[in-house]
Amino acid sequence: GRRRAVQLPRQRRSSGPTTQALRTQPAPAGMSLNDVAKHRVFASVTAQGDLVRHYVPSHELSGVGGADRPEAKIVNALATSAPPQRLHIYGEAGAGKTSLILRALADIARRETLQRPVHPMFVNTGDAPSQLTDPQHFMQMLLGLIQVNGSAFATVDPVALRDATAEQTTYTPTTVAHQAGITTPFFSYQPTLSQAFATHTIGVDPARVRNDFQDVLRAVTKDYRAVIVIDDTDHFAASGPDGKLDVEAISNLYHHGVRTLADFDELDVIVAIQPHFQQVEPVTDVERRYNFEAVHVATLAADKDELTLSLVLGRRLRNANITATVDDLIHPQALAELQGVYFTASHDFRRVLECADEAARLAADDGANQITPRHVQHVLEQR
C-alpha cells in the first residue's frame, strides 16, 4: 500500500548562516529523490551479484594501492601462488568481508591465463553449530552441500561473478559449458560425483568420510582450483551470552572445521572473521600453525575531511541508472551524519546503508528534494 507520510517538525525561518546552509537546492528535472526511495537504491543487499556490482575498490575507498590492496592479496594468493593458500579476511560485522571476497573472485574469473579456473564453495556454518562437533560431521556437511548443489563443488558461477563487474570480457573458461535454458553451469567432474552420490558411495560411512572428501577434491582439482570460503562467522559474535562472542562455537569451528580443511594440501581456505575473534585461542593457534595470511577489508579514512561515503552511495546511484549525484540528493551535513554512523557503528556499512535507505524514504514522503540532517536525525532517533 501507499506509505504514510511522516510529519517532521518544519525548520524555523531565519536569516542566520546556519539555516541558510541547511536549505536544500531543487533536484534537477527527472532526478527525483522519489526514484531512490521507490527502488530502495541505498538499501543493503545480500545477492552475490549485487554485492559485486556495488563494490567500491579499496584504492578508491581508502587510498591503499598496489599489492597492498586487499583485493590484490586475495587475487595473488589464488591466481598466481601455488596451493594451498590460507587467508583470514578481517573486518567488523557489516564491513564488507563477503563483498571483498566476491569481488576478488570476480577479478580472478576475468583472467584468461589461469591454468585452472578457481572454483569457490561458500560454506555457511552459523546456522549449523551441531555440524561442528567433530571433523566427520563437518565433512559430511560439506559433502551434503555438494550433493544438494547438483554435484558441483562451486556454489557460485565464476562467469556470473565476472559479468557482475563493470569491466566486461568475452572470455569463458573452456571447461565450463552454459547450456541453453540452464542457469547453473556444468562442470567436467559432475557426472563422476553424481554417480558416486547416486550409488551412496560418498559420505555415508563416518569412518570413510575423510577419504570420501579427499576423493571429491581429487576429482575437482584435476581441472579446477578448489577454494572453500567460510564467510558467515559474524553469527558467532552475537550468539553467545549477552550477545558476546560464542567462544564454544568459534572453538569448534576452528578445532573441527578450519583445522580439518587446512590439512588438505589440494585445498585453498578463506575464512572471514571479526578482529576480536583473535581472543579465542584456537583461532590464533590455527592461524599460526597453518600460516594464515591476514587480509583486512578497506575502511573509510578517519583522518580525512572528505566524505568518502559518497563513493559508496554514488556507485549505487549509477548502478540504478539514476543520473543525479550524491550532492544533488543528499545535503552535505546529512551525508556527514551518515558517515558518522559508520564510525560509531564499528565500520558497519550495512547499518549505514539501512539508515540512508530509511532517510531517503522519509525525505520522499516528506516531499523533500534532498535528504537533510533532520531526516537522518529522525531515523537515528528511532533506532
Side-chain angles (χ1 to χ4, degrees), residues 11-94:
Q11 299 174 28
R12 297 177 181 176
R13 292 187 178 272
S14 170
S15 58
T18 302
T19 303
Q20 289 287 350
L22 291 177
R23 287 180 182 172
T24 63
Q25 298 298 318
M31 300 180 182
S32 172
L33 187 64
N34 287 326
D35 294 327
V36 176
K38 177 181 179 182
H39 298 291
R40 307 290 303 279
V41 173
F42 293 151
S44 61
V45 296
T46 56
Q48 292 173 337
D50 290 336
L51 291 172
V52 172
R53 275 187 291 273
H54 294 330
Y55 184 78
V56 177
S58 57
H59 69 275
E60 297 180 20
L61 198 66
S62 63
V64 63
D68 291 331
R69 293 179 298 118
E71 303 96 325
K73 291 181 179 180
I74 298 174
V75 170
N76 179 64
L78 301 183
T80 65
S81 301
Q85 294 295 314
R86 318 294 187 215
L87 301 177
H88 264 155
I89 311 301
Y90 281 104
E92 302 290 350

Side-chain angles (χ1 to χ4, degrees), residues 293-310:
E293 179 182 2
V295 179
H296 298 269
V297 298
T299 58
L300 300 182
D303 58 349
K304 294 183 179 179
D305 292 330
E306 292 85 356
L307 296 176
T308 44
L309 177 62
S310 63

Side-chain angles (χ1 to χ4, degrees), residues 228-246:
I228 285 186
V229 180
I230 299 176
D231 77 323
D232 70 331
T233 60
D234 286 347
H235 177 89
F236 298 137
S239 56
D242 301 321
K244 297 181 180 179
L245 287 179
D246 190 334

